[in-house]
Amino acid sequence: MSTRATPGPRERLLDAARELTYSHGMGVGVDTLLKAANVARRSLYDHFGGKDGLIAEVLRRTTAEDEAFYMEIMQAAGEDPRDRLLAVFDNLAQVIAEPDFCGCRYQAADLALTDPDHPAHAITHDYRVRLHRLFEHELVKLGHPQPAHAAAQYLLLIAGTLATGATQADEHPAALARELAEQILDLRHHATPATPDGGAQRRSRR
């Protein structure tokens, strides 16, 4: 009969910080983290150099997991890029409905960590860049006339959905955002026709 190894101090610190910085905010105290992880203060500094390093490592892990989450959502939705992109909001509705949902971890980190040089900011920025690239790729496949711009709009809708979901879940923000996302995606049907030289024809204004 195999036995499961007990996580070491490093993993216990990461688990505690992952949970507490989400449920209690980035301002959660070091003593609270140490108590939850059942480790000595020295372990924090030996493994992460302090609380800032611990937070950064938590964010590296969660951003990788959340990026994979979006990829899995779209893969499960089939081959049609429109279905894949709209599936994002169908799944966000489920995320918001979870009893322990507290909003977007990354928005909270950027707002709470006021030092612009905190390592967390580079991690959250890189995460959004990767998501933008992911959505832009789908929008290109969809034939959207402005895939980069539409991907930025998509990120804004996701951010708004998560923020509103934390405070006004009864407003069904994911469903509302999905309706707006449909308008973004369907712009490909109303694209300004291109001229032979690759430019866009100007429509007359009445």
Side-chain angles (χ1 to χ4, degrees), residues 21-22 24-28 51-52 55 59 104-116 118 120-121 124 128:
T21 57
Y22 185 63
H24 291 69
M26 292 292 163
V28 63
K51 182 184 173 184
D52 288 351
I55 289 174
L59 293 176
C104 176
R105 180 189 298 274
Y106 313 116
Q107 291 175 1
D110 285 337
L111 290 171
L113 302 172
T114 56
D115 180 359
H118 193 290
H121 296 304
T124 58
R128 294 186 183 100

Side-chain angles (χ1 to χ4, degrees), residues 12-26:
R12 295 203 304 274
L13 277 165
L14 285 168
D15 289 344
R18 178 189 182 120
E19 178 181 348
L20 292 175
T21 57
Y22 185 63
S23 61
H24 291 69
M26 292 292 163

Side-chain angles (χ1 to χ4, degrees), residues 67 70-71 74 85 129-139:
E67 181 183 6
Y70 284 111
M71 294 175 67
M74 293 193 289
L85 286 162
V129 169
R130 298 198 309 270
L131 287 189
H132 185 281
R133 189 181 303 123
L134 178 66
F135 297 138
E136 184 179 1
H137 177 71
E138 295 295 327
L139 287 155

Side-chain angles (χ1 to χ4, degrees), residues 54-66:
L54 174 59
I55 289 174
E57 184 58 29
V58 166
L59 293 176
R60 286 190 191 96
R61 288 193 172 195
T62 59
T63 53
E65 292 170 3
D66 288 343

